[in-house]
Amino acid sequence: MSGELSLGINIKESRWDQGTFMGRAKHFFTVTDPRNVLLSSETLEDARVTIENYRLGIVKPGLTEDQLWRAKYIYDSAFHPDTGEKMLLIGRMSAQVPMNMTITGCMLTFYRTTPAVVFWQWVNQSFNAVVNYTNRSGDAPITVNQLGAAYVSATTGAVVTALSLKSLTKHLPGIIARFVPFAAVAAANCINIPFMRQRELKYGIPVTDENGNRLGDSTSAAKQAIVQVVVSRIGMAVPAMAIPPVIMNALEKKAFMKRFPVLNAPVQVALVGFCLVFATPLCCALFPQKSSMKVSSLEPELQESIRKSSPHTTKVFFNKGL
């Protein structure tokens, strides 16, 4: 071992207390920082070497704790937690804001014609499929069939919802029609996420005691985890898809916007981006990543197993996913 930095820093966990909303918010502001998309391959490789060496007990001379944590979050932003492989650029959490602001901004701008609605809903669900594939679990990998079923189902659900609501809003005020893309995205999330995680709903997800000892697999925990993720995903879309339409509805009545209609899309994308910079990490932080539930809420057979193997355990913990 070389260097002066202690090897006792637990870089498997977050730097901030994940038991509080503020701690989780700080964590996700770092994880979703869009500036990480611009990092060079050399910077990513340096972070990887720093983290992997630290895990082996090797500390680079002069490395500080702040630099170690910075390397950890750079590493986490680009490399898969289970396989260690470099993830697809547009599928990384740090790409969520720039990608979503572009796609969502265009969905909110080009909502008036049926071809535009179909095209942008398809683009959005294609992006979601890339994100879900990139962030797949190494323990329960997503098969091609599962990915395809979730993709087709979510895309169909989003397009059908958008077109159905679009037809219903023909005789309503224009501001109402602007919220059709949000309804479509919310519907797609309710379809896509459960489909993508159907294996968990069928076989359960690992649950542990407070010390991380595995106690079994629970479908009840999987249901709670998926509901929390759906709520978070829809919550992320609310500010970005609810606030800009109201602002744009007012701006488009101004002489300046009427004179330069080409500014509609760039202004809308910028407004969406501003909302997403805050909404993405704050909504990820709504629920602890390491979620929990009472043993009494689990399946009867698992409750019985836990009472036999760990009689003092009253609460179990599990990774809810993102």
Side-chain angles (χ1 to χ4, degrees):
M1 185 187 81
S2 61
E4 300 176 354
L5 188 64
S6 168
L7 287 172
I9 300 172
N10 184 9
I11 57 172
K12 291 182 179 180
E13 302 293 337
S14 172
R15 188 175 190 178
W16 298 280
D17 181 8
Q18 296 301 284
T20 68
F21 177 77
M22 286 305 299
R24 295 194 296 273
K26 289 178 181 178
H27 169 79
F28 282 109
F29 266 108
T30 306
V31 170
T32 63
D33 188 344
R35 292 175 297 180
N36 286 342
V37 172
L38 304 175
L39 296 176
S40 66
S41 297
E42 292 75 16
T43 300
L44 296 178
E45 181 62 18
D46 183 63
R48 185 187 69 79
V49 171
T50 297
I51 294 302
E52 291 184 353
N53 282 347
Y54 185 84
R55 289 171 178 168
L56 295 173
I58 304 170
V59 181
K60 183 166 61 176
L63 184 70
T64 66
E65 184 173 348
D66 285 341
Q67 290 172 335
L68 176 66
W69 282 112
R70 173 61 180 156
K72 172 205 162 40
Y73 277 104
I74 289 176
Y75 176 83
D76 289 348
S77 76
F79 295 91
H80 193 280
D82 295 323
T83 65
E85 296 176 356
K86 187 183 290 186
M87 295 184 287
L88 294 170
L89 181 64
I90 64 171
R92 299 173 192 171
M93 286 302 291
S94 53
Q96 287 291 295
V97 171
M99 289 299 299
N100 273 322
M101 68 183 281
T102 303
I103 296 172
T104 303
C106 289
M107 279 196 293
L108 294 174
T109 302
F110 308 108
Y111 67 92
R112 291 185 174 90
T113 67
T114 298
V117 169
V118 173
F119 176 75
W120 285 108
Q121 291 294 339
W122 168 72
V123 170
N124 186 46
Q125 293 311 317
S126 297
F127 169 64
N128 285 341
V130 172
V131 172
N132 288 327
Y133 176 77
T134 302
N135 294 281
R136 67 197 183 280
S137 169
D139 291 328
I142 301 170
T143 66
V144 174
N145 288 338
Q146 288 173 327
L147 188 67
Y151 173 60
V152 172
S153 301
T155 303
T156 302
V159 169
V160 169
T161 301
L163 294 180
S164 299
L165 292 176
K166 182 176 179 295
S167 65
L168 293 174
T169 58
K170 286 181 179 178
H171 305 294
L172 296 175
I175 184 64
I176 303 298
R178 289 180 179 273
F179 289 98
V180 168
F182 167 67
V185 168
N189 276 324
C190 292
I191 297 169
N192 193 9
I193 296 169
F195 250 99
M196 194 62 66
R197 298 176 64 173
Q198 58 184 300
R199 181 184 178 87
E200 297 174 22
L201 290 171
K202 185 175 181 179
Y203 298 107
I205 57 176
V207 294
T208 68
D209 60 20
E210 59 183 2
N211 297 317
N213 300 311
R214 187 165 176 166
L215 301 173
D217 296 327
S218 170
T219 56
S220 297
K223 291 174 185 176
Q224 178 174 306
I226 290 171
V227 168
Q228 290 178 344
V229 171
V230 170
V231 170
S232 294
R233 293 280 188 95
I234 294 176
M236 289 178 204
V238 170
M241 303 191 79
I243 296 174
V246 175
I247 296 175
M248 291 304 298
N249 196 58
L251 287 178
E252 286 179 1
K253 297 174 183 177
K254 304 294 183 182
F256 181 78
M257 291 296 288
K258 289 180 179 179
R259 186 179 178 185
F260 300 102
V262 71
L263 293 177
N264 192 304
V267 171
Q268 190 124 238
V269 168
L271 287 171
V272 170
F274 179 78
C275 292
L276 284 174
V277 164
F278 298 96
T280 300
L282 292 178
C283 287
C284 281
L286 286 176
F287 305 101
Q289 188 68 33
K290 186 179 180 181
S291 196
S292 65
M293 65 190 306
K294 294 180 179 178
V295 170
S296 58
S297 299
L298 299 172
E299 305 90 303
E301 58 273 19
L302 183 56
Q303 290 184 40
E304 186 64 26
S305 173
I306 292 174
R307 289 192 184 101
K308 290 180 180 178
S309 63
S310 184
H312 300 297
T313 299
T314 58
K315 184 183 291 186
V316 295
F317 300 86
F318 53 92
N319 180 9
K320 73 173 179 65
L322 286 174

